[in-house]
Amino acid sequence: MRCLLCKSDSMEKSTNTYFAKLNGCYVIIENVPCMGCSQCGEVVYSASVLERIDEILDTFHNLAEKVFIMDYGEAA
C-alpha cells in the first residue's frame, strides 16, 4: 500500500493508540489495528476498524468520567 502523505511504498500492518474526546471526557483505545508508514509515520485505519471504534465510543459514552483507557482487542 502506498502512503497517502509521503507517497512511499512503506505502509505496513501495525497497531496504534486512538485518542478521542467526548463531551469533556478523553477516551484512549490502545492496540488499534492500522496501516502505518515506516517512512513518515502516517496512520490509516480501515473502514471496519473505524466503524468498530464508533461502536466502542457509543457504548462507553455515558460510562466514562474524565479519562477512559481500553484495549481494542478486548473491546472488539
Side-chain angles (χ1 to χ4, degrees):
M1 180 177 178
R2 177 167 241 145
C3 177
L4 300 172
L5 191 61
C6 72
K7 309 298 185 217
S8 72
D9 288 323
S10 57
M11 296 295 281
E12 301 171 347
K13 286 186 178 182
S14 184
T15 59
N16 195 33
T17 302
Y18 186 90
F19 297 89
K21 183 177 179 181
L22 296 172
N23 299 330
C25 173
Y26 295 95
V27 179
I28 301 169
I29 307 173
E30 298 177 328
N31 301 312
V32 179
C34 65
M35 295 295 287
C37 179
S38 59
Q39 181 76 24
C40 70
E42 176 72 0
V43 174
V44 178
Y45 300 102
S46 70
S48 62
V49 168
L50 289 172
E51 286 176 14
R52 184 63 186 130
I53 288 172
D54 282 342
E55 292 170 4
I56 291 168
L57 294 176
D58 286 343
T59 300
F60 291 99
H61 175 73
N62 295 324
L63 297 176
E65 295 276 331
K66 285 289 182 189
V67 177
F68 195 81
I69 303 172
M70 71 183 71
D71 187 278
Y72 180 88
E74 293 174 15

